[in-house]
Amino acid sequence: MRSWWWMPCLLVLAGCQTAPTALPTAEPRPAAECRWEGGGLGSEEWLRRALTALEQEGFVIRHTETALGLVNAERTRTVPGYGDFYDRERVGVFGGYGVGGGRGGLSTGVMIGFGGVAGSFTRDATRLERVSLVADGDWVRVTRDIQVIDWQGEIRESRSASDTDFCLSLRNAMAAIDSRGGA
């Protein structure tokens, strides 16, 4: 007996895929303070001010596109102690102690140091913060997102962080920069 009958069934099942009903959106929504009117300044002037303000805050400029009025920047920070909470071999930041068996054996001991072999210095997570600014002449828009990436390269947290405090501080820093290039 031939098994030809399963091919039409697979074709029918493959046709059952559907598109999502809604596209993904930023959660939480960007704050209203992350969008403001250009105030008569051209997009190139806003971009120059954004470059200066972001670099002063420790961001590294990754991409600029003056024709689109776009600046992309990012900064990374180590998150001490975040580590991988599910890693049973992790001893702690400043050593540890223990009595009992691990992985089928019996052990006792005291360890003093900084996290043991390849301890917390290599197992800390990294906080990646990305900012995009678009200035089209009439409006200036800022978006920011934050990701926490563990020592194995897996994303542990990811969120939109276009909040009022950040956008107001960036806007004020940009307004404090005069048009000749200085602060």
Side-chain angles (χ1 to χ4, degrees):
M1 179 174 174
R2 295 187 184 210
S3 303
W4 62 269
W5 58 270
W6 58 272
M7 192 62 116
C9 292
L10 286 177
L11 290 174
V12 169
L13 289 175
C16 293
Q17 291 181 338
T18 61
T21 57
L23 293 175
T25 60
E27 293 294 334
R29 305 239 351 129
E33 289 80 8
C34 293
R35 182 176 184 209
W36 63 89
E37 291 187 35
L41 294 176
S43 62
E44 289 184 12
E45 178 63 21
W46 279 114
L47 291 181
R48 191 190 59 71
R49 290 180 180 207
L51 290 171
T52 304
L54 289 169
E55 286 178 341
Q56 288 175 351
E57 290 295 319
F59 284 89
V60 175
I61 306 302
R62 292 292 177 200
H63 183 75
T64 59
E65 180 60 55
T66 55
L68 299 174
L70 173 69
V71 173
N72 288 327
E74 66 182 36
R75 69 179 167 191
T76 58
R77 296 182 181 164
T78 301
V79 183
Y82 188 92
D84 186 2
F85 296 115
Y86 304 106
D87 187 3
R88 300 222 183 257
E89 294 177 11
R90 182 166 175 123
V91 187
V93 176
F94 294 107
Y97 62 92
V99 175
R103 299 193 180 192
L106 180 64
S107 64
T108 63
V110 175
M111 197 259 340
I112 299 173
F114 291 95
V117 178
S120 65
F121 293 120
T122 59
R123 294 190 179 191
D124 285 336
T126 301
R127 179 178 186 247
L128 174 63
E129 185 176 353
R130 291 187 179 135
V131 174
S132 294
L133 182 134
V134 177
D136 62 6
D138 297 331
W139 291 93
V140 178
R141 290 177 293 279
V142 177
T143 58
R144 177 176 76 142
D145 71 316
I146 295 175
Q147 295 179 336
V148 176
I149 305 164
D150 71 3
W151 65 277
Q152 295 176 323
E154 295 180 23
I155 296 175
R156 294 293 182 170
E157 296 178 28
S158 182
R159 64 183 173 91
S160 173
S162 302
D163 57 2
T164 301
D165 293 337
F166 177 80
C167 290
L168 282 179
S169 68
L170 179 62
R171 182 177 179 179
N172 291 337
M174 289 168 58
I177 298 169
D178 67 13
S179 61
R180 292 181 307 279

PDB file of all heavy atoms in Angstrom, residues 30-58:
ATOM      1  N   PRO A  30       5.263  54.940  24.468  1.00  0.00           N
ATOM      2  CA  PRO A  30       6.182  56.056  24.751  1.00  0.00           C
ATOM      3  C   PRO A  30       5.438  57.221  25.404  1.00  0.00           C
ATOM      4  O   PRO A  30       4.286  57.504  25.079  1.00  0.00           O
ATOM      5  CB  PRO A  30       6.700  56.451  23.369  1.00  0.00           C
ATOM      6  CG  PRO A  30       6.521  55.236  22.531  1.00  0.00           C
ATOM      7  CD  PRO A  30       5.294  54.555  23.060  1.00  0.00           C
ATOM      8  N   ALA A  31       6.115  57.893  26.330  1.00  0.00           N
ATOM      9  CA  ALA A  31       5.517  59.035  27.026  1.00  0.00           C
ATOM     10  C   ALA A  31       5.299  60.181  26.040  1.00  0.00           C
ATOM     11  O   ALA A  31       6.002  60.307  25.035  1.00  0.00           O
ATOM     12  CB  ALA A  31       6.425  59.478  28.163  1.00  0.00           C
ATOM     13  N   ALA A  32       4.338  61.023  26.351  1.00  0.00           N
ATOM     14  CA  ALA A  32       4.034  62.168  25.488  1.00  0.00           C
ATOM     15  C   ALA A  32       5.218  63.131  25.406  1.00  0.00           C
ATOM     16  O   ALA A  32       5.381  63.837  24.405  1.00  0.00           O
ATOM     17  CB  ALA A  32       2.796  62.887  26.015  1.00  0.00           C
ATOM     18  N   GLU A  33       6.052  63.163  26.439  1.00  0.00           N
ATOM     19  CA  GLU A  33       7.214  64.042  26.454  1.00  0.00           C
ATOM     20  C   GLU A  33       8.299  63.588  25.486  1.00  0.00           C
ATOM     21  O   GLU A  33       9.282  64.304  25.281  1.00  0.00           O
ATOM     22  CB  GLU A  33       7.798  64.123  27.868  1.00  0.00           C
ATOM     23  CG  GLU A  33       6.945  64.884  28.846  1.00  0.00           C
ATOM     24  CD  GLU A  33       5.781  64.059  29.394  1.00  0.00           C
ATOM     25  OE1 GLU A  33       5.711  62.844  29.134  1.00  0.00           O
ATOM     26  OE2 GLU A  33       4.931  64.652  30.074  1.00  0.00           O
ATOM     27  N   CYS A  34       8.148  62.409  24.896  1.00  0.00           N
ATOM     28  CA  CYS A  34       9.127  61.896  23.939  1.00  0.00           C
ATOM     29  C   CYS A  34       8.849  62.372  22.517  1.00  0.00           C
ATOM     30  O   CYS A  34       9.475  61.927  21.563  1.00  0.00           O
ATOM     31  CB  CYS A  34       9.152  60.372  23.992  1.00  0.00           C
ATOM     32  SG  CYS A  34       9.777  59.741  25.551  1.00  0.00           S
ATOM     33  N   ARG A  35       7.911  63.292  22.390  1.00  0.00           N
ATOM     34  CA  ARG A  35       7.599  63.877  21.081  1.00  0.00           C
ATOM     35  C   ARG A  35       7.315  65.361  21.303  1.00  0.00           C
ATOM     36  O   ARG A  35       6.486  65.708  22.143  1.00  0.00           O
ATOM     37  CB  ARG A  35       6.384  63.187  20.473  1.00  0.00           C
ATOM     38  CG  ARG A  35       6.038  63.715  19.115  1.00  0.00           C
ATOM     39  CD  ARG A  35       4.903  62.962  18.482  1.00  0.00           C
ATOM     40  NE  ARG A  35       4.713  63.479  17.139  1.00  0.00           N
ATOM     41  CZ  ARG A  35       3.580  63.492  16.501  1.00  0.00           C
ATOM     42  NH1 ARG A  35       2.510  62.980  17.069  1.00  0.00           N
ATOM     43  NH2 ARG A  35       3.492  63.988  15.303  1.00  0.00           N
ATOM     44  N   TRP A  36       8.023  66.206  20.568  1.00  0.00           N
ATOM     45  CA  TRP A  36       7.798  67.629  20.717  1.00  0.00           C
ATOM     46  C   TRP A  36       8.010  68.319  19.382  1.00  0.00           C
ATOM     47  O   TRP A  36       8.619  67.778  18.467  1.00  0.00           O
ATOM     48  CB  TRP A  36       8.696  68.232  21.807  1.00  0.00           C
ATOM     49  CG  TRP A  36      10.168  68.149  21.546  1.00  0.00           C
ATOM     50  CD1 TRP A  36      10.938  69.057  20.876  1.00  0.00           C
ATOM     51  CD2 TRP A  36      11.057  67.102  21.932  1.00  0.00           C
ATOM     52  NE1 TRP A  36      12.239  68.642  20.834  1.00  0.00           N
ATOM     53  CE2 TRP A  36      12.350  67.449  21.482  1.00  0.00           C
ATOM     54  CE3 TRP A  36      10.905  65.906  22.632  1.00  0.00           C
ATOM     55  CZ2 TRP A  36      13.463  66.651  21.693  1.00  0.00           C
ATOM     56  CZ3 TRP A  36      12.011  65.116  22.845  1.00  0.00           C
ATOM     57  CH2 TRP A  36      13.265  65.487  22.386  1.00  0.00           C
ATOM     58  N   GLU A  37       7.480  69.556  19.283  1.00  0.00           N
ATOM     59  CA  GLU A  37       7.593  70.324  18.047  1.00  0.00           C
ATOM     60  C   GLU A  37       9.016  70.811  17.868  1.00  0.00           C
ATOM     61  O   GLU A  37       9.725  71.078  18.842  1.00  0.00           O
ATOM     62  CB  GLU A  37       6.623  71.506  18.065  1.00  0.00           C
ATOM     63  CG  GLU A  37       5.170  71.077  17.966  1.00  0.00           C
ATOM     64  CD  GLU A  37       4.235  72.265  17.818  1.00  0.00           C
ATOM     65  OE1 GLU A  37       4.637  73.255  17.165  1.00  0.00           O
ATOM     66  OE2 GLU A  37       3.123  72.179  18.342  1.00  0.00           O
ATOM     67  N   GLY A  38       9.423  70.952  16.610  1.00  0.00           N
ATOM     68  CA  GLY A  38      10.783  71.343  16.284  1.00  0.00           C
ATOM     69  C   GLY A  38      11.144  72.765  16.671  1.00  0.00           C
ATOM     70  O   GLY A  38      12.311  73.084  16.820  1.00  0.00           O
ATOM     71  N   GLY A  39      10.178  73.622  16.832  1.00  0.00           N
ATOM     72  CA  GLY A  39      10.438  74.987  17.287  1.00  0.00           C
ATOM     73  C   GLY A  39      11.238  75.834  16.317  1.00  0.00           C
ATOM     74  O   GLY A  39      11.992  76.706  16.741  1.00  0.00           O
ATOM     75  N   GLY A  40      11.114  75.591  15.034  1.00  0.00           N
ATOM     76  CA  GLY A  40      11.799  76.404  14.037  1.00  0.00           C
ATOM     77  C   GLY A  40      13.221  75.968  13.729  1.00  0.00           C
ATOM     78  O   GLY A  40      13.842  76.512  12.822  1.00  0.00           O
ATOM     79  N   LEU A  41      13.753  75.003  14.466  1.00  0.00           N
ATOM     80  CA  LEU A  41      15.090  74.489  14.160  1.00  0.00           C
ATOM     81  C   LEU A  41      14.984  73.435  13.071  1.00  0.00           C
ATOM     82  O   LEU A  41      14.033  72.648  13.042  1.00  0.00           O
ATOM     83  CB  LEU A  41      15.740  73.868  15.396  1.00  0.00           C
ATOM     84  CG  LEU A  41      16.081  74.820  16.541  1.00  0.00           C
ATOM     85  CD1 LEU A  41      16.629  74.037  17.708  1.00  0.00           C
ATOM     86  CD2 LEU A  41      17.073  75.868  16.087  1.00  0.00           C
ATOM     87  N   GLY A  42      15.971  73.390  12.212  1.00  0.00           N
ATOM     88  CA  GLY A  42      15.994  72.388  11.153  1.00  0.00           C
ATOM     89  C   GLY A  42      16.384  71.023  11.696  1.00  0.00           C
ATOM     90  O   GLY A  42      16.915  70.887  12.810  1.00  0.00           O
ATOM     91  N   SER A  43      16.140  70.004  10.912  1.00  0.00           N
ATOM     92  CA  SER A  43      16.433  68.648  11.361  1.00  0.00           C
ATOM     93  C   SER A  43      17.934  68.440  11.574  1.00  0.00           C
ATOM     94  O   SER A  43      18.343  67.738  12.499  1.00  0.00           O
ATOM     95  CB  SER A  43      15.892  67.611  10.379  1.00  0.00           C
ATOM     96  OG  SER A  43      16.499  67.753   9.121  1.00  0.00           O
ATOM     97  N   GLU A  44      18.775  69.085  10.750  1.00  0.00           N
ATOM     98  CA  GLU A  44      20.230  68.939  10.931  1.00  0.00           C
ATOM     99  C   GLU A  44      20.690  69.531  12.261  1.00  0.00           C
ATOM    100  O   GLU A  44      21.580  68.991  12.912  1.00  0.00           O
ATOM    101  CB  GLU A  44      20.980  69.565   9.761  1.00  0.00           C
ATOM    102  CG  GLU A  44      20.843  68.759   8.487  1.00  0.00           C
ATOM    103  CD  GLU A  44      21.673  69.330   7.348  1.00  0.00           C
ATOM    104  OE1 GLU A  44      22.526  70.206   7.603  1.00  0.00           O
ATOM    105  OE2 GLU A  44      21.465  68.892   6.207  1.00  0.00           O
ATOM    106  N   GLU A  45      20.088  70.638  12.686  1.00  0.00           N
ATOM    107  CA  GLU A  45      20.442  71.248  13.969  1.00  0.00           C
ATOM    108  C   GLU A  45      20.016  70.344  15.123  1.00  0.00           C
ATOM    109  O   GLU A  45      20.750  70.168  16.102  1.00  0.00           O
ATOM    110  CB  GLU A  45      19.797  72.637  14.099  1.00  0.00           C
ATOM    111  CG  GLU A  45      20.072  73.314  15.417  1.00  0.00           C
ATOM    112  CD  GLU A  45      21.546  73.616  15.646  1.00  0.00           C
ATOM    113  OE1 GLU A  45      22.326  73.680  14.681  1.00  0.00           O
ATOM    114  OE2 GLU A  45      21.921  73.792  16.825  1.00  0.00           O
ATOM    115  N   TRP A  46      18.827  69.743  15.021  1.00  0.00           N
ATOM    116  CA  TRP A  46      18.382  68.810  16.067  1.00  0.00           C
ATOM    117  C   TRP A  46      19.300  67.595  16.125  1.00  0.00           C
ATOM    118  O   TRP A  46      19.617  67.103  17.203  1.00  0.00           O
ATOM    119  CB  TRP A  46      16.937  68.371  15.837  1.00  0.00           C
ATOM    120  CG  TRP A  46      15.929  69.363  16.304  1.00  0.00           C
ATOM    121  CD1 TRP A  46      15.062  70.076  15.529  1.00  0.00           C
ATOM    122  CD2 TRP A  46      15.682  69.760  17.655  1.00  0.00           C
ATOM    123  NE1 TRP A  46      14.284  70.891  16.320  1.00  0.00           N
ATOM    124  CE2 TRP A  46      14.647  70.709  17.631  1.00  0.00           C
ATOM    125  CE3 TRP A  46      16.230  69.416  18.885  1.00  0.00           C
ATOM    126  CZ2 TRP A  46      14.150  71.315  18.776  1.00  0.00           C
ATOM    127  CZ3 TRP A  46      15.737  70.017  20.034  1.00  0.00           C
ATOM    128  CH2 TRP A  46      14.716  70.954  19.980  1.00  0.00           C
ATOM    129  N   LEU A  47      19.730  67.112  14.971  1.00  0.00           N
ATOM    130  CA  LEU A  47      20.630  65.962  14.947  1.00  0.00           C
ATOM    131  C   LEU A  47      21.979  66.317  15.575  1.00  0.00           C
ATOM    132  O   LEU A  47      22.533  65.525  16.342  1.00  0.00           O
ATOM    133  CB  LEU A  47      20.845  65.469  13.512  1.00  0.00           C
ATOM    134  CG  LEU A  47      19.651  64.828  12.825  1.00  0.00           C
ATOM    135  CD1 LEU A  47      20.037  64.374  11.422  1.00  0.00           C
ATOM    136  CD2 LEU A  47      19.107  63.677  13.621  1.00  0.00           C
ATOM    137  N   ARG A  48      22.513  67.487  15.270  1.00  0.00           N
ATOM    138  CA  ARG A  48      23.778  67.901  15.854  1.00  0.00           C
ATOM    139  C   ARG A  48      23.664  68.001  17.370  1.00  0.00           C
ATOM    140  O   ARG A  48      24.527  67.531  18.111  1.00  0.00           O
ATOM    141  CB  ARG A  48      24.217  69.238  15.259  1.00  0.00           C
ATOM    142  CG  ARG A  48      25.643  69.607  15.619  1.00  0.00           C
ATOM    143  CD  ARG A  48      25.966  71.037  15.231  1.00  0.00           C
ATOM    144  NE  ARG A  48      25.088  72.007  15.869  1.00  0.00           N
ATOM    145  CZ  ARG A  48      25.119  72.315  17.177  1.00  0.00           C
ATOM    146  NH1 ARG A  48      25.956  71.711  17.962  1.00  0.00           N
ATOM    147  NH2 ARG A  48      24.305  73.219  17.662  1.00  0.00           N
ATOM    148  N   ARG A  49      22.582  68.593  17.837  1.00  0.00           N
ATOM    149  CA  ARG A  49      22.364  68.709  19.281  1.00  0.00           C
ATOM    150  C   ARG A  49      22.182  67.330  19.917  1.00  0.00           C
ATOM    151  O   ARG A  49      22.671  67.084  21.024  1.00  0.00           O
ATOM    152  CB  ARG A  49      21.150  69.580  19.571  1.00  0.00           C
ATOM    153  CG  ARG A  49      21.383  71.037  19.251  1.00  0.00           C
ATOM    154  CD  ARG A  49      20.169  71.874  19.547  1.00  0.00           C
ATOM    155  NE  ARG A  49      20.424  73.270  19.232  1.00  0.00           N
ATOM    156  CZ  ARG A  49      19.819  74.277  19.825  1.00  0.00           C
ATOM    157  NH1 ARG A  49      18.926  74.047  20.771  1.00  0.00           N
ATOM    158  NH2 ARG A  49      20.109  75.512  19.493  1.00  0.00           N
ATOM    159  N   ALA A  50      21.476  66.439  19.243  1.00  0.00           N
ATOM    160  CA  ALA A  50      21.269  65.088  19.770  1.00  0.00           C
ATOM    161  C   ALA A  50      22.589  64.338  19.865  1.00  0.00           C
ATOM    162  O   ALA A  50      22.850  63.652  20.861  1.00  0.00           O
ATOM    163  CB  ALA A  50      20.280  64.318  18.889  1.00  0.00           C
ATOM    164  N   LEU A  51      23.429  64.461  18.835  1.00  0.00           N
ATOM    165  CA  LEU A  51      24.738  63.804  18.867  1.00  0.00           C
ATOM    166  C   LEU A  51      25.552  64.270  20.071  1.00  0.00           C
ATOM    167  O   LEU A  51      26.128  63.465  20.808  1.00  0.00           O
ATOM    168  CB  LEU A  51      25.511  64.081  17.578  1.00  0.00           C
ATOM    169  CG  LEU A  51      25.006  63.412  16.307  1.00  0.00           C
ATOM    170  CD1 LEU A  51      25.729  63.961  15.086  1.00  0.00           C
ATOM    171  CD2 LEU A  51      25.175  61.929  16.394  1.00  0.00           C
ATOM    172  N   THR A  52      25.585  65.562  20.291  1.00  0.00           N
ATOM    173  CA  THR A  52      26.357  66.115  21.405  1.00  0.00           C
ATOM    174  C   THR A  52      25.791  65.663  22.744  1.00  0.00           C
ATOM    175  O   THR A  52      26.525  65.213  23.630  1.00  0.00           O
ATOM    176  CB  THR A  52      26.375  67.658  21.316  1.00  0.00           C
ATOM    177  OG1 THR A  52      26.893  68.042  20.043  1.00  0.00           O
ATOM    178  CG2 THR A  52      27.221  68.253  22.426  1.00  0.00           C
ATOM    179  N   ALA A  53      24.477  65.762  22.912  1.00  0.00           N
ATOM    180  CA  ALA A  53      23.847  65.405  24.191  1.00  0.00           C
ATOM    181  C   ALA A  53      23.989  63.916  24.496  1.00  0.00           C
ATOM    182  O   ALA A  53      24.281  63.533  25.636  1.00  0.00           O
ATOM    183  CB  ALA A  53      22.369  65.801  24.175  1.00  0.00           C
ATOM    184  N   LEU A  54      23.803  63.068  23.489  1.00  0.00           N
ATOM    185  CA  LEU A  54      23.911  61.625  23.715  1.00  0.00           C
ATOM    186  C   LEU A  54      25.348  61.227  24.039  1.00  0.00           C
ATOM    187  O   LEU A  54      25.577  60.394  24.925  1.00  0.00           O
ATOM    188  CB  LEU A  54      23.392  60.853  22.502  1.00  0.00           C
ATOM    189  CG  LEU A  54      21.880  60.896  22.303  1.00  0.00           C
ATOM    190  CD1 LEU A  54      21.495  60.332  20.936  1.00  0.00           C
ATOM    191  CD2 LEU A  54      21.163  60.141  23.412  1.00  0.00           C
ATOM    192  N   GLU A  55      26.310  61.803  23.350  1.00  0.00           N
ATOM    193  CA  GLU A  55      27.709  61.489  23.647  1.00  0.00           C
ATOM    194  C   GLU A  55      28.096  61.955  25.045  1.00  0.00           C
ATOM    195  O   GLU A  55      28.862  61.294  25.735  1.00  0.00           O
ATOM    196  CB  GLU A  55      28.629  62.100  22.593  1.00  0.00           C
ATOM    197  CG  GLU A  55      28.577  61.349  21.281  1.00  0.00           C
ATOM    198  CD  GLU A  55      29.445  61.964  20.197  1.00  0.00           C
ATOM    199  OE1 GLU A  55      29.821  63.167  20.316  1.00  0.00           O
ATOM    200  OE2 GLU A  55      29.738  61.255  19.224  1.00  0.00           O
ATOM    201  N   GLN A  56      27.551  63.082  25.499  1.00  0.00           N
ATOM    202  CA  GLN A  56      27.823  63.554  26.855  1.00  0.00           C
ATOM    203  C   GLN A  56      27.242  62.611  27.911  1.00  0.00           C
ATOM    204  O   GLN A  56      27.754  62.543  29.017  1.00  0.00           O
ATOM    205  CB  GLN A  56      27.256  64.965  27.062  1.00  0.00           C
ATOM    206  CG  GLN A  56      28.040  66.039  26.334  1.00  0.00           C
ATOM    207  CD  GLN A  56      27.398  67.411  26.449  1.00  0.00           C
ATOM    208  OE1 GLN A  56      26.274  67.560  26.940  1.00  0.00           O
ATOM    209  NE2 GLN A  56      28.097  68.434  25.983  1.00  0.00           N
ATOM    210  N   GLU A  57      26.199  61.885  27.560  1.00  0.00           N
ATOM    211  CA  GLU A  57      25.574  60.938  28.484  1.00  0.00           C
ATOM    212  C   GLU A  57      26.207  59.545  28.413  1.00  0.00           C
ATOM    213  O   GLU A  57      25.716  58.617  29.046  1.00  0.00           O
ATOM    214  CB  GLU A  57      24.067  60.828  28.196  1.00  0.00           C
ATOM    215  CG  GLU A  57      23.294  62.060  28.561  1.00  0.00           C
ATOM    216  CD  GLU A  57      23.302  62.319  30.067  1.00  0.00           C
ATOM    217  OE1 GLU A  57      23.163  61.360  30.847  1.00  0.00           O
ATOM    218  OE2 GLU A  57      23.454  63.490  30.448  1.00  0.00           O
ATOM    219  N   GLY A  58      27.246  59.388  27.608  1.00  0.00           N
ATOM    220  CA  GLY A  58      27.948  58.112  27.542  1.00  0.00           C
ATOM    221  C   GLY A  58      27.449  57.164  26.462  1.00  0.00           C
ATOM    222  O   GLY A  58      27.836  55.993  26.438  1.00  0.00           O
TER     223      GLY A  58
END
